[in-house]
Protein backbone atom coordinates (compact mmCIF):
# COMPACT_ATOMS: atom_id res chain seq x y z
CA UNK A 1 0.00 0.00 0.00
CA UNK A 2 1.20 3.57 -0.66
CA UNK A 3 2.69 5.31 2.35
CA UNK A 4 1.65 8.68 3.76
CA UNK A 5 1.96 11.15 0.91
CA UNK A 6 4.50 13.96 0.92
CA UNK A 7 3.96 15.50 -2.49
CA UNK A 8 1.79 18.46 -1.54
CA UNK A 9 4.18 21.21 -0.52
CA UNK A 10 1.56 23.88 -1.23
CA UNK A 11 -2.15 24.29 -1.84
CA UNK A 12 -1.47 24.68 -5.54
CA UNK A 13 -1.51 21.10 -6.84
CA UNK A 14 -3.72 20.78 -9.92
CA UNK A 15 -4.97 18.20 -12.38
CA UNK A 16 -4.92 20.23 -15.59
CA UNK A 17 -6.44 19.36 -18.96
CA UNK A 18 -6.67 21.14 -22.31
CA UNK A 19 -8.48 19.97 -25.43
CA UNK A 20 -8.24 20.82 -29.13
CA UNK A 21 -10.88 23.09 -30.59
CA UNK A 22 -13.88 21.05 -31.80
CA UNK A 23 -11.98 18.01 -30.43
CA UNK A 24 -9.46 18.25 -33.26
CA UNK A 25 -6.01 16.76 -32.95
CA UNK A 26 -3.42 18.96 -31.28
CA UNK A 27 -0.65 16.40 -31.75
CA UNK A 28 -0.45 15.27 -35.38
CA UNK A 29 3.08 13.91 -35.33
CA UNK A 30 5.90 12.87 -33.06
CA UNK A 31 7.46 16.25 -33.75
CA UNK A 32 4.36 17.94 -32.30
CA UNK A 33 4.71 15.87 -29.14
CA UNK A 34 8.35 16.75 -28.77
CA UNK A 35 7.65 20.45 -29.35
CA UNK A 36 4.93 20.45 -26.70
CA UNK A 37 7.11 18.72 -24.12
CA UNK A 38 9.93 21.14 -24.84
CA UNK A 39 7.52 24.04 -24.37
CA UNK A 40 6.16 22.51 -21.18
CA UNK A 41 9.70 22.11 -19.84
CA UNK A 42 10.43 25.77 -20.55
CA UNK A 43 7.35 26.90 -18.62
CA UNK A 44 8.04 24.57 -15.70
CA UNK A 45 11.64 25.73 -15.42
CA UNK A 46 10.84 29.42 -15.76
CA UNK A 47 8.02 29.37 -13.22
CA UNK A 48 9.47 26.90 -10.73
CA UNK A 49 6.61 24.44 -11.14
CA UNK A 50 6.82 20.75 -10.28
CA UNK A 51 5.34 18.44 -12.90
CA UNK A 52 4.62 15.01 -11.42
CA UNK A 53 2.69 13.39 -14.28
CA UNK A 54 1.72 14.11 -17.85
CA UNK A 55 0.03 12.38 -20.76
CA UNK A 56 -0.41 13.65 -24.32
CA UNK A 57 -3.41 12.25 -26.20
CA UNK A 58 -4.17 12.98 -29.86
CA UNK A 59 -6.66 15.77 -29.09
CA UNK A 60 -5.95 16.70 -25.46
CA UNK A 61 -3.44 16.46 -22.64
CA UNK A 62 -3.31 15.94 -18.87
CA UNK A 63 -0.86 17.32 -16.30
CA UNK A 64 -0.42 16.96 -12.54
CA UNK A 65 1.44 20.11 -11.55
CA UNK A 66 2.35 21.89 -8.35
CA UNK A 67 2.55 25.68 -8.78
CA UNK A 68 4.26 27.09 -5.66
CA UNK A 69 3.78 30.72 -6.74
CA UNK A 70 0.07 30.30 -7.41
CA UNK A 71 0.57 31.27 -11.04
CA UNK A 72 -1.32 28.52 -12.86
CA UNK A 73 -3.31 30.92 -15.11
CA UNK A 74 -0.19 32.77 -16.24
CA UNK A 75 1.78 29.59 -16.84
CA UNK A 76 -1.03 27.93 -18.77
CA UNK A 77 -1.42 31.04 -20.91
CA UNK A 78 2.29 30.83 -21.74
CA UNK A 79 2.16 27.10 -22.41
CA UNK A 80 -0.93 26.99 -24.62
CA UNK A 81 -0.29 30.19 -26.54
CA UNK A 82 3.34 29.31 -27.25
CA UNK A 83 2.49 25.78 -28.36
CA UNK A 84 -0.45 26.99 -30.48
CA UNK A 85 1.83 29.39 -32.32
CA UNK A 86 4.41 26.67 -32.97
CA UNK A 87 1.72 24.17 -34.02
CA UNK A 88 0.07 26.57 -36.46
CA UNK A 89 3.42 27.56 -37.94
CA UNK A 90 4.47 23.94 -38.41
CA UNK A 91 1.21 22.97 -40.10
CA UNK A 92 0.60 26.25 -41.96
CA UNK A 93 -2.65 26.88 -40.09
CA UNK A 94 -4.32 29.88 -38.50
CA UNK A 95 -6.88 30.29 -35.74
CA UNK A 96 -7.46 28.66 -32.39
CA UNK A 97 -5.76 25.39 -31.49
CA UNK A 98 -7.30 24.87 -28.05
CA UNK A 99 -10.99 24.73 -27.20
CA UNK A 100 -11.64 27.61 -24.84
CA UNK A 101 -9.97 27.83 -21.47
CA UNK A 102 -7.98 24.96 -20.04
CA UNK A 103 -9.59 22.85 -17.31
CA UNK A 104 -8.11 22.65 -13.84
CA UNK A 105 -9.15 20.86 -10.69
CA UNK A 106 -7.51 21.57 -7.36
CA UNK A 107 -6.25 18.31 -5.87
CA UNK A 108 -7.69 18.63 -2.39
CA UNK A 109 -6.43 15.49 -0.63
CA UNK A 110 -3.60 12.98 -0.67
CA UNK A 111 -5.81 10.10 -1.91
CA UNK A 112 -6.94 12.41 -4.71
CA UNK A 113 -3.32 13.08 -5.75
CA UNK A 114 -2.60 9.37 -5.72
CA UNK A 115 -5.63 8.55 -7.88
CA UNK A 116 -4.69 11.24 -10.42
CA UNK A 117 -1.16 9.82 -10.62
CA UNK A 118 -2.54 6.61 -12.08
CA UNK A 119 -5.56 8.03 -13.91
CA UNK A 120 -3.32 10.15 -16.14
CA UNK A 121 -1.09 7.37 -17.56
CA UNK A 122 -4.10 5.07 -18.02
CA UNK A 123 -5.74 7.43 -20.53
CA UNK A 124 -4.32 5.71 -23.63
CA UNK A 125 -5.43 2.33 -22.28
CA UNK A 126 -8.97 3.51 -21.58
CA UNK A 127 -9.11 5.07 -25.04
CA UNK A 128 -8.05 1.79 -26.65
CA UNK A 129 -4.87 3.27 -28.11
CA UNK A 130 -2.53 0.86 -26.34
CA UNK A 131 -3.05 -2.28 -24.22
CA UNK A 132 -0.69 -1.13 -21.46
CA UNK A 133 0.43 2.29 -20.18
CA UNK A 134 4.10 1.51 -20.85
CA UNK A 135 3.27 1.06 -24.55
CA UNK A 136 2.32 4.72 -24.92
CA UNK A 137 5.42 6.88 -25.49
CA UNK A 138 3.76 10.21 -24.68
CA UNK A 139 3.24 9.98 -20.94
CA UNK A 140 5.37 10.15 -17.82
CA UNK A 141 4.58 6.53 -16.93
CA UNK A 142 7.72 4.93 -18.42
CA UNK A 143 9.99 7.44 -16.68
CA UNK A 144 8.24 7.05 -13.33
CA UNK A 145 8.26 3.26 -13.60
CA UNK A 146 12.00 3.24 -14.34
CA UNK A 147 11.69 2.20 -18.00
CA UNK A 148 13.18 5.34 -19.51
CA UNK A 149 15.16 8.37 -18.47
CA UNK A 150 12.95 11.24 -17.24
CA UNK A 151 13.32 14.76 -18.61
CA UNK A 152 15.03 17.13 -16.18
CA UNK A 153 11.77 18.94 -15.44
CA UNK A 154 9.74 15.83 -14.48
CA UNK A 155 9.57 15.28 -10.70
CA UNK A 156 9.37 11.49 -10.64
CA UNK A 157 10.44 11.35 -6.98
CA UNK A 158 7.27 13.22 -6.06
CA UNK A 159 5.29 10.10 -6.92
CA UNK A 160 7.84 7.40 -6.10
CA UNK A 161 8.34 8.56 -2.52
CA UNK A 162 4.77 7.50 -1.77
CA UNK A 163 5.82 3.88 -2.29
CA UNK A 164 9.11 3.53 -0.39
CA UNK A 165 12.66 2.99 -1.70
CA UNK A 166 13.27 3.71 -5.37
CA UNK A 167 13.37 0.18 -6.84
CA UNK A 168 10.55 -1.08 -4.62
CA UNK A 169 8.67 2.11 -5.35
CA UNK A 170 8.85 1.58 -9.09
CA UNK A 171 7.49 -1.94 -8.79
CA UNK A 172 4.77 -0.78 -6.40
CA UNK A 173 3.81 2.07 -8.69
CA UNK A 174 3.46 -0.29 -11.65
CA UNK A 175 1.17 -2.53 -9.59
CA UNK A 176 -0.83 0.44 -8.35
CA UNK A 177 -1.42 1.73 -11.88
CA UNK A 178 -2.33 -1.74 -13.16
CA UNK A 179 -4.95 -2.05 -10.44
CA UNK A 180 -6.58 1.19 -11.56
CA UNK A 181 -7.85 0.11 -14.98
CA UNK A 182 -11.44 -0.03 -13.74
CA UNK A 183 -11.22 3.03 -11.50
CA UNK A 184 -13.02 5.93 -13.16
CA UNK A 185 -13.06 9.54 -12.07
CA UNK A 186 -10.08 10.09 -9.72
CA UNK A 187 -11.97 12.65 -7.63
CA UNK A 188 -14.82 10.22 -6.98
CA UNK A 189 -12.39 7.38 -6.24
CA UNK A 190 -10.54 9.52 -3.69
CA UNK A 191 -13.78 10.66 -2.08
CA UNK A 192 -15.05 7.12 -1.71
CA UNK A 193 -11.88 6.34 0.24
CA UNK A 194 -12.15 9.49 2.36
CA UNK A 195 -15.84 9.04 3.10
CA UNK A 196 -15.48 5.66 4.83
CA UNK A 197 -19.11 4.69 5.58
CA UNK A 198 -20.69 7.73 3.93
CA UNK A 199 -22.29 8.98 7.13
CA UNK A 200 -23.30 12.62 7.50
CA UNK A 201 -20.40 13.01 9.92
CA UNK A 202 -18.00 11.76 7.24
CA UNK A 203 -19.52 14.13 4.69
CA UNK A 204 -19.07 17.13 6.97
CA UNK A 205 -15.51 16.07 7.82
CA UNK A 206 -14.57 15.81 4.14
CA UNK A 207 -16.14 19.20 3.43
CA UNK A 208 -14.38 20.81 6.38
CA UNK A 209 -10.98 19.15 6.08
CA UNK A 210 -10.58 19.14 2.31
CA UNK A 211 -13.11 21.60 0.86
CA UNK A 212 -14.86 19.21 -1.51
CA UNK A 213 -18.23 20.45 -2.74
CA UNK A 214 -21.53 18.82 -1.87
CA UNK A 215 -22.05 18.00 -5.55
CA UNK A 216 -18.71 16.19 -5.80
CA UNK A 217 -19.43 14.19 -2.64
CA UNK A 218 -22.90 13.29 -3.88
CA UNK A 219 -21.50 12.08 -7.22
CA UNK A 220 -19.03 9.85 -5.39
CA UNK A 221 -21.88 8.39 -3.31
CA UNK A 222 -24.03 7.89 -6.40
CA UNK A 223 -26.87 10.13 -5.24
CA UNK A 224 -28.27 13.54 -6.21
CA UNK A 225 -26.82 16.49 -4.33
CA UNK A 226 -30.30 17.56 -3.17
CA UNK A 227 -30.78 14.14 -1.55
CA UNK A 228 -27.50 14.53 0.29
CA UNK A 229 -28.45 18.05 1.36
CA UNK A 230 -31.70 16.71 2.81
CA UNK A 231 -29.78 14.06 4.77
CA UNK A 232 -27.52 16.69 6.25
CA UNK A 233 -30.49 18.85 7.18
CA UNK A 234 -32.21 15.93 8.94
CA UNK A 235 -29.04 15.10 10.88
CA UNK A 236 -27.50 18.39 12.08
CA UNK A 237 -24.11 18.36 13.82
CA UNK A 238 -24.20 17.65 17.54
CA UNK A 239 -24.57 20.76 19.62
CA UNK A 240 -26.49 22.62 16.92
Amino acid sequence: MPRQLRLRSTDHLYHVTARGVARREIFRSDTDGRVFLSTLGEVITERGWHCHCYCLMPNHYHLLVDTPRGDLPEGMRDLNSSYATRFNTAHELTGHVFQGRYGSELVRSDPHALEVSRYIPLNPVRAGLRPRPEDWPWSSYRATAGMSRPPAWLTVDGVLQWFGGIEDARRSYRVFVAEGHDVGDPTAAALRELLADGSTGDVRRVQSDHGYSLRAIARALGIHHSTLAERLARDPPKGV
Side-chain angles (χ1 to χ4, degrees):
M1 290 295 291
R3 60 169 59 183
Q4 180 65 36
L5 308 190
R6 286 175 262 163
L7 181 149
R8 299 188 65 204
S9 59
T10 73
D11 291 326
H12 302 291
L13 182 65
Y14 292 93
H15 178 191
V16 180
T17 59
R19 190 174 296 277
V21 65
R23 297 181 180 270
R24 295 174 188 156
E25 289 188 345
I26 57 175
F27 305 111
R28 295 184 175 184
S29 66
D30 288 355
T31 298
D32 289 339
R34 288 191 290 269
V35 168
F36 179 85
L37 293 179
S38 175
T39 307
L40 175 61
E42 292 168 5
V43 172
I44 288 169
T45 301
E46 179 179 346
R47 294 193 171 272
W49 287 7
H50 305 118
C51 180
H52 303 289
C53 300
Y54 70 83
C55 183
L56 314 187
M57 299 289 283
N59 67 357
H60 69 282
Y61 67 80
H62 292 260
L63 307 174
L64 178 61
V65 291
D66 187 358
T67 62
R69 302 173 190 168
D71 57 353
L72 182 68
E74 295 83 1
M76 289 304 297
R77 177 199 61 212
D78 293 348
L79 173 61
N80 284 353
S81 64
S82 180
Y83 177 70
T85 298
R86 295 174 181 182
F87 178 87
N88 279 343
T89 299
H91 296 285
E92 300 183 341
L93 298 171
T94 60
H96 295 292
V97 173
F98 292 100
Q99 181 174 293
R101 191 175 183 274
Y102 66 91
S104 65
E105 183 176 21
L106 181 64
V107 177
R108 297 180 179 274
S109 65
D110 290 341
H112 191 174
L114 202 56
E115 289 295 341
V116 172
S117 79
R118 69 176 170 185
Y119 174 84
I120 287 178
L122 283 171
N123 264 257
V125 179
R126 292 195 176 95
L129 298 175
R130 293 291 190 278
R132 302 175 303 174
E134 59 264 39
D135 297 329
W136 186 249
W138 300 108
S139 86
S140 54
Y141 179 81
R142 290 182 56 81
T144 306
M147 300 174 181
S148 65
R149 183 175 180 177
W153 47 262
L154 181 66
T155 315
V156 295
D157 289 349
V159 174
L160 291 178
Q161 67 182 351
W162 300 343
F163 297 91
I166 294 298
E167 289 306 318
D168 288 342
R170 288 170 176 154
R171 285 192 293 270
S172 297
Y173 179 66
R174 291 195 291 266
V175 171
F176 178 70
V177 172
E179 292 174 346
H181 279 229
D182 297 323
V183 177
D185 174 31
T187 305
L191 277 168
R192 285 191 290 270
E193 179 178 343
L194 290 167
L195 286 165
D197 61 7
S199 66
T200 55
D202 278 338
V203 170
R204 290 193 175 93
R205 174 181 53 78
V206 167
Q207 284 185 301
S208 173
D209 291 354
H210 302 291
Y212 286 105
S213 69
L214 194 67
R215 288 179 182 270
I217 295 171
R219 281 197 302 271
L221 293 173
I223 60 177
H224 195 271
H225 66 272
S226 62
T227 302
L228 182 56
E230 290 171 3
R231 284 187 192 174
L232 293 171
R234 290 196 303 267
D235 185 18
K238 292 180 181 179
V240 175

